Amino acid sequence: MEKRVVITGLGVVAPNGVGLEAFTHAIKNGISGIKHDAELERLQFSCQIAGKPVISTELALKYFSELELRNFNSTGILYGVIAGIDAWKDAGLSMEINKEPDWDSGTIFGTGTSGIDKFRESIYKIDDFKTRRLGSTAVAQTMNSGVSAYLGGKLGLGNQVSTNSSACTTGTESILMAYERIKSGKAKRILAGSTSDSGPYIWGGFDAMKVCTFKHNENPENGSRPMSVSASGFVPGSGAGALILEDLESALNRGATIYAEVLGGNLNSGGQRGLGTMTAPNPIAVQKCIQDALKNSGINANDVDAINGHLTATSKDSLEIQNWSEALDRKGKEFPYINSLKSMVGHCLSGAGSIESVASVLQLHHGFVFPNINCADLHPEITAIIDESSIPQQLIEKDLNIIAKASFGFGDVNGCVIFKKYSYSPIGR
């Protein structure tokens, strides 16, 4: 018998808030975490603004020992471990160190890269014949699975411990992979999430591609403008989101807080065929991904109350709205609410899907739709498809039942997950 899967814990490290309380306050009030970045200016980037979480040494020492932090400079692992442990604690799970691994619990925690700054340091030391000065954690910091390895060790996880990587779809993919493992009975709970390193060595390639905005270096908070006619490219960001997915029976037995239920979802690729390329989505595949996610979740298009979109503040935003409209066969005033967290945090790359999923679940649990900022000048190609009322620019306090969250990544890969407000029923949903 397939298990029902619910969310019992959340953790987040975002540019506009580290921790659930700060993050919830920020998204409800439209607070931006995008700031001027002196290092990007020094390196003469076109885009000199970014969304970067603020992590003090004092905070880091709550998750790592002083010895662990010696020669440690992998921001992605730092963000991921903080978000992951926060989600674990939020779920009411024990941090006690046991002799036996927790065979029922695992983690699928994705990333795009790991330890870029440590890689750079390693290259220079090796070239200078100083290999022995790399330190004992150089491998753990630079291997892609470093974040899941750190989390697995700190939490004593004995089930699947792995790292997935699918560009901007990584976080959404990790949630769906965790969902499938729990639904099939192979695990009782999985810490799902994703993280992204920060800094010029991550963001430089995008600046070179000219997909980042260069028009808002003097007013950073106005720089990320999804769905806006004045959008001029995305703002680079970083951070991590984490969710504890758990089978319903286990959650009820523990008396855990249940934030939401995962009804299902879908992952696919456009194969870089038709209009799909390395950097552009195949619209047919995007629409199929959404429709198959609804089918997998056992719901109809009209059941969707809100959408948390990918919406990066590029020329593809209008295409994404069109794809949602066609996939759901809803337009004008019949279109559900839609918002983009990137208006407040920028594009957090491999961390985006999980951070945005945390925001989606918070909306369900607390009953609100967070505002889109910087889009008073909505693109006419978008308002030709859907009504302006579907794109809230002020907080809406409203009970929601179902939210669709989607991510579309480099390589023409897509993911859509369906979250539902939890309601107890002994059989079915």
Side-chain angles (χ1 to χ4, degrees), residues 310-327:
H310 189 61
L311 298 166
T312 58
T314 66
S315 61
K316 300 299 180 184
D317 286 2
S318 300
L319 176 60
E320 180 176 337
I321 297 296
Q322 181 181 345
N323 285 331
W324 279 109
S325 178
E326 293 188 17

Side-chain angles (χ1 to χ4, degrees), residues 238-305:
S238 56
L243 306 90
I244 300 293
L245 274 64
E246 187 166 0
D247 80 51
L248 177 60
E249 183 180 6
S250 171
L252 292 175
N253 287 341
R254 292 195 307 109
T257 296
I258 297 177
Y259 285 97
E261 182 170 3
V262 182
L263 289 187
N266 188 56
L267 299 164
N268 77 0
S269 171
Q272 300 178 44
R273 299 295 188 267
L275 296 178
T277 67
M278 179 64 75
T279 59
N282 179 337
I284 296 173
V286 169
Q287 292 172 35
K288 178 174 172 55
C289 182
I290 296 167
Q291 291 169 340
D292 287 349
L294 300 178
K295 184 177 180 180
N296 178 257
S297 301
I299 64 170
N300 299 313
N302 288 332
D303 294 327
V304 177
D305 298 311

Side-chain angles (χ1 to χ4, degrees), residues 40-62:
L40 300 186
E41 181 180 7
R42 185 185 74 82
L43 294 170
Q44 299 180 21
F45 274 48
S46 297
C47 179
Q48 297 171 8
I49 61 176
K52 188 174 179 179
V54 178
I55 306 291
S56 66
T57 301
E58 181 183 10
L59 179 62
L61 283 169
K62 294 181 179 180

Side-chain angles (χ1 to χ4, degrees), residues 4 34 174 229 257 262 350 403:
R4 288 175 66 182
I34 296 169
S174 71
V229 72
T257 296
V262 182
S350 56
I403 291 182

